[in-house]
């Protein structure tokens, strides 16, 4: 499995990661090496095998539906890059 | 003072021969003197440490102290510590002051441990050499040209050089055991779900597990007593009766069945490592254990599927770093997409970006079945191999890492080669089992670790075997020459 520069650009876009144009061939090479290494999986017939999602087959625990958390908005927002009047600021989305 | 074990220090504190303030100051002095060479700490918390030590001394005087009260300790910088930088060794979080404590941090505080600082690591715990840290590589105290292993390399290096009696680590594919082996200390990766993941910055949630690192199995047992236990705030935490992990340390090993997987002693294993492992196994045999050959036939598939599962989970977990609510934000974003892309492109290092991209690809439309689903199916085969082995033997033993510590830069530019240094540790995470690494010798002054793998909740047995070995040997007591 070898990735083309176009595929690398597409993956980077899906992952929301900006990468330098000069770095694309290097990413293509590294990612292709990793995918080639991973190809070994295909030697094994896994038909009928149940995928293993959790080591101990545990299922998500439920709790009673009651309020347990208190308001920490100010505390959480004081580490945000940009806030105003209790709101997180980002560049304008709608003109 | 710094060559004493945690139980010895504890006794000295309880008997008033030593104060926690004196002890803490001694370790802070050692950090000041040696950390510039090792780069094992990202943050040193002098003032907080001394304040906690003063409080500990009060408890020691008024008789309300526990066994760990007043003992200095360090946390891997992946654990959230309220009011302190929690960087995960990433530029992305280089300005992140955690607003709350991880459960493990809280439990250590309750136990009375004194925090010396936060240790360096591979960025977001992704690495086997500690070279991916935004704060620069950590050095191995046994040889400053060598890597300390990763990702908990700062914790391993600091414990090894006796800059702290113990530290926390996290282990997703070997990140406690491999650096423990390479730095000559004892480190335990507990059963998945035994130690809370709340406040531990997520990498691959179905594999991540925190655990203790120290010189000896006895110290690890004491620390595990403090940090293990059910936590309602972690949805994968397991509800179980509390266990005293030091209670079985002195059991004799008569009739203990140790399985040796032939896949762990084949191609790729350094013959000098093999020799030391065989010597250690003979020691256990003399202590009464029986050695049995076993097979874990799907072992060669563990590393490939790990890089699908861990990368897929990381791409999902790390999607939260968007430059909006906390962490790094790029300068002058043009629009929202530019904000996301440049914040992430500039904030993450190369290895983290590689893994996010592999994971994104594996989870993208049309590829899910071929990669993620297939990997999860093979994961079950690997887990089944262990289940069959544990019908015949009590524990499994083998090398922790195929080689002693390699040199800085040696594998840095070849990700696949780097990944293969975790070939014996990764299967354990995939199955969710507990495993421990302990030092069993040196090759040209670089340590070698023996890995012991237990069945689910087999920690007391692992600690027992390691302790019995350490009663007969001195490897865990060595300090690197220049420290």
């Amino acid at each position: 499995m070898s990735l083309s520069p176009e595929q690398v650009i597409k993956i980077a876009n899906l992952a929301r990661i900006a990468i330098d144009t000069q770095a694309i061939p290097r990413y293509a090479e590294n990612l292709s090496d990793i995918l080639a290494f991973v190809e070994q999986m295909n030697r094994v017939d896994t038909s009928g095998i149940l995928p293993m999602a959790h080591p101990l087959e545990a299922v998500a625990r439920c709790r009673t539906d009651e309020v347990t958390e208190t308001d920490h908005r100010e505390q959480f927002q004081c580490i945000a890059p940009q806030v105003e009047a209790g709101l997180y600021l980002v560049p304008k989305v709608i003109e | 003072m710094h060559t004493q074990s945690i139980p010895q220090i504890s006794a000295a504190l309880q008997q008033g021969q030593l104060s926690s303030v004196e002890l803490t100051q001694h370790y802070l002095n050692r950090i000041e003197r040696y950390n510039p060479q090792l780069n094992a700490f990202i943050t040193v918390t002098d003032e907080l440490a001394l304040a906690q030590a003063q409080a500990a001394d009060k408890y020691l005087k008024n008789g309300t102290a526990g066994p760990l009260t007043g003992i200095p300790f360090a946390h891997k910088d992946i654990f959230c510590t309220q009011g302190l930088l929690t960087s995960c060794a990433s530029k992305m979080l280089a300005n992140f002051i955690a607003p709350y404590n991880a459960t493990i941090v809280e439990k250590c505080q309750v136990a009375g441990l004194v925090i010396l600082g936060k240790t360096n690591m591979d960025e977001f715990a992704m690495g086997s050499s500690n070279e991916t840290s935004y704060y620069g590589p950590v050095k191995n105290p046994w040889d400053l040209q060598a890597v300390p292993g990763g990702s908990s390399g700062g914790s391993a290096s600091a414990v090894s050089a006796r800059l702290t009696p113990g530290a926390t680590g996290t282990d997703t594919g070997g990140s406690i055991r491999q650096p423990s082996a390479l730095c000559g200390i004892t480190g335990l990766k507990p059963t998945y779900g035994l130690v809370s993941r709340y406040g531990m910055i997520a990498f691959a949630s179905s594999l991540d597990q925190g655990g203790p690192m120290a010189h000896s199995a006895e110290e690890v047992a004491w620390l595990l007593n403090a940090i293990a236990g059910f936590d309602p705030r972690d949805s994968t935490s397991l509800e179980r009766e509390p266990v005293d992990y030091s209670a079985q340390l002195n059991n004799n090993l008569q009739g203990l069945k140790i399985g040796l997987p032939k896949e762990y002693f084949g191609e790729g294993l350094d013959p000098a490592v093999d020799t030391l492992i065989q010597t250690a196994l003979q020691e256990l045999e003399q202590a009464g254990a029986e050695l049995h050959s076993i097979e874990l036939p799907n072992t060669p598939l563990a590393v490939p599927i790990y890089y699908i599962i861990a990368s897929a989970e990381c791409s999902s977990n790390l999607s939260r770093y968007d430059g909006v609510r906390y962490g790094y934000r790029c300068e002058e974003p043009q629009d929202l997409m530019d904000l996301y892309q440049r914040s992430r492109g500039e904030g993450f290092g190369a290895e983290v970006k590689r893994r996010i991209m592999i994971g994104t690809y594996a989870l993208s439309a049309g590829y899910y079945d071929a990669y993620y689903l297939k990997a999860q199916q093979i994961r079950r085969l690997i887990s089944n191999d262990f289940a069959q082995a544990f019908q015949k033997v009590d524990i499994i033993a083998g090398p922790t890492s195929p080689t002693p510590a390699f040199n800085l830069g040696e594998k840095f530019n070849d990700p696949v080669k780097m990944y293969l240094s975790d070939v014996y540790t990764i299967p354990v995470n995939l199955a969710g089992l507990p495993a421990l690494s302990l030092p069993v010798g040196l090759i040209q002054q670089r340590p070698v670790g023996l890995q012991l793998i237990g069945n689910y909740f087999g920690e007391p047995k692992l600690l027992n075997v390691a302790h019995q070995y350490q009663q007969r040997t001195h490897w865990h007591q060595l300090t690197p020459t220049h420290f």
Side-chain angles (χ1 to χ4, degrees), chain B residues 9-48:
Chain B
I9 305 173
S10 176
L13 288 168
Q14 308 280 343
Q15 289 157 18
Q17 295 158 352
L18 178 69
S19 76
S20 176
V21 170
E22 286 171 290
L23 182 67
T24 301
Q25 190 60 60
H26 178 72
Y27 276 103
L28 289 171
N29 292 347
R30 287 185 64 76
I31 293 170
E32 192 180 7
R33 178 160 172 209
Y34 295 113
N35 192 52
Q37 293 173 56
L38 296 172
N39 198 25
F41 282 84
I42 291 175
T43 305
V44 181
T45 51
D46 312 55
E47 282 180 23
L48 180 61

Side-chain angles (χ1 to χ4, degrees), chain A residues 17-89:
Chain A
I17 290 176
I19 54 175
D20 290 340
T21 319
Q22 304 106 297
I24 292 172
R26 183 84 185 132
Y27 274 106
E29 188 196 335
N30 281 163
L31 300 185
S32 299
D33 283 353
I34 297 169
L35 291 174
F37 173 67
V38 164
E39 286 292 298
Q40 299 175 52
M41 304 198 293
N42 296 324
R43 293 200 310 245
V44 187
D45 178 12
T46 51
S47 44
I49 295 169
L50 197 65
M52 178 172 155
H54 188 286
L56 292 164
E57 313 298 340
V59 289
R61 245 188 348 266
C62 294
R63 61 169 176 82
T64 44
D65 185 16
E66 54 196 22
V67 177
T68 55
E69 294 300 315
T70 48
D71 182 15
H72 293 286
R73 186 165 71 172
E74 268 177 43
Q75 191 194 359
F76 292 161
Q77 288 198 331
C78 73
I79 51 169
Q82 225 185 340
V83 283
E84 200 178 292
L87 303 170
Y88 293 98
L89 294 193

Side-chain angles (χ1 to χ4, degrees), chain B residues 423-434:
Chain B
V423 59
Y424 307 134
T425 49
I426 281 176
V428 169
N429 299 77
L430 292 167
L433 295 165

